[in-house]
Amino acid sequence: MRRLPGVLIVEDEPAIAELISVNLRHSGFRPIWAMDSVTAQAELESVLPDVILLDWMLPGESGLALAKRWRAHPRTKTIPIIMLTARGDEVDRVAGLDAGADDYIAKPFSTKELLARIRAVLRRRAPEQAEGQVTLGELCLDAATYRVTFQAQPLKLGPTEFKLLHYLMTHAERVHSRSQLLDKVWGDHVFIEERTVDVHVKRLREALGEAGAMVETVRGAGYRLTVQALLAKQA
């Protein structure tokens, strides 16, 4: 089964959030609704979405303040943010973009336009994840030269483990089920058992040595690559 891109909707108006959610589901996305900053932060700490739709006017902390905070945090700084607001003046659009939003849509808006904007920010983001060097803590992967290092020391990985690590590093902090990893790493045209993922995860951990602690098992859900697991083990 293909993984549906997750969209976190931070919107305090239930009717608007439901309208967006219905259209997202029909268009192949997985909507997650948060009605305020506290709920939104809790969702982000659980599983990172692919896109955030962020209302400017929220109870408590404003969308503008949230955008600034999330853009400044290493874990959330690369997530595309689309600001949704009734404030359509140029000065407000500039303020939203300066706060870190990737795009800005004034209410009322067309759901077709919103979906097109979501697809656009995902397309812009994809090439950054697909090639070049990726670094997570002291773990570095260079897709061009096929090299992996931890604390500047080279590591030897098999081709499948390399592909698995590359995918996990470019989607760090997110939980991936076995079926999602099979789809993204092996390809949806390959028919193998989901438990095969466990074997390659075990090999990957062994090849990474001390950095293997970064590959975290999330019981009942799958696997996640996170620096926090390594830091907890070292503490």
Side-chain angles (χ1 to χ4, degrees), residues 164-182:
L164 178 59
L165 178 62
H166 183 259
Y167 181 75
L168 289 173
M169 289 186 72
T170 53
H171 299 79
E173 302 295 343
R174 304 184 190 189
V175 178
H176 307 278
S177 69
R178 294 179 180 87
S179 62
Q180 288 167 356
L181 290 173
L182 282 174

Side-chain angles (χ1 to χ4, degrees), residues 54 56 63-64 67-68 71 81-85 87 89-105 117 121 124:
L54 180 59
W56 182 311
L64 201 66
K68 290 179 180 178
R71 194 54 80 222
I81 298 174
I82 299 177
M83 191 80 78
L84 306 177
T85 178
R87 307 175 66 148
D89 294 339
E90 181 182 3
V91 63
D92 295 320
R93 291 198 300 270
V94 171
L97 295 171
D98 283 346
D102 296 270
D103 205 346
Y104 190 108
I105 301 182
R117 299 283 188 97
V121 295
R124 290 199 296 269

Side-chain angles (χ1 to χ4, degrees), residues 78-144:
T78 62
I79 302 175
I81 298 174
I82 299 177
M83 191 80 78
L84 306 177
T85 178
R87 307 175 66 148
D89 294 339
E90 181 182 3
V91 63
D92 295 320
R93 291 198 300 270
V94 171
L97 295 171
D98 283 346
D102 296 270
D103 205 346
Y104 190 108
I105 301 182
K107 299 176 182 176
F109 51 82
S110 157
T111 52
K112 287 184 178 180
E113 180 185 4
L114 176 61
L115 290 167
R117 299 283 188 97
I118 291 172
R119 294 188 186 102
V121 295
L122 286 174
R123 283 196 303 270
R124 290 199 296 269
R125 186 186 186 213
E128 298 174 6
Q129 297 180 332
E131 58 187 10
Q133 294 186 347
V134 191
T135 301
L136 192 65
E138 295 181 281
L139 182 63
C140 301
L141 181 149
D142 190 329

Side-chain angles (χ1 to χ4, degrees), residues 3 17 19 39 42 56 58-59 63-64 87 129 137-138 151 153 157 166 177 198-199 203 205 225:
R3 173 184 173 274
L19 175 64
T39 310
W56 182 311
L58 292 169
L64 201 66
R87 307 175 66 148
Q129 297 180 332
E138 295 181 281
Q151 297 178 342
Q153 297 301 310
L157 273 68
H166 183 259
S177 69
D198 297 345
V199 175
R203 290 178 183 171
R205 284 178 174 146
L225 189 70

Side-chain angles (χ1 to χ4, degrees), residues 5-48:
V7 180
L8 176 61
I9 306 163
V10 189
E11 168 63 65
D12 63 328
E13 292 288 342
I16 295 176
E18 181 59 26
L19 175 64
I20 295 173
S21 295
V22 168
N23 281 275
L24 285 173
R25 288 192 195 97
H26 288 169
S27 300
F29 294 94
R30 178 175 49 85
I32 309 107
W33 178 39
M35 67 183 301
D36 53 35
S37 59
V38 175
T39 310
Q41 188 63 47
E43 290 289 351
L44 285 177
E45 289 172 1
S46 174
V47 179
L48 291 178

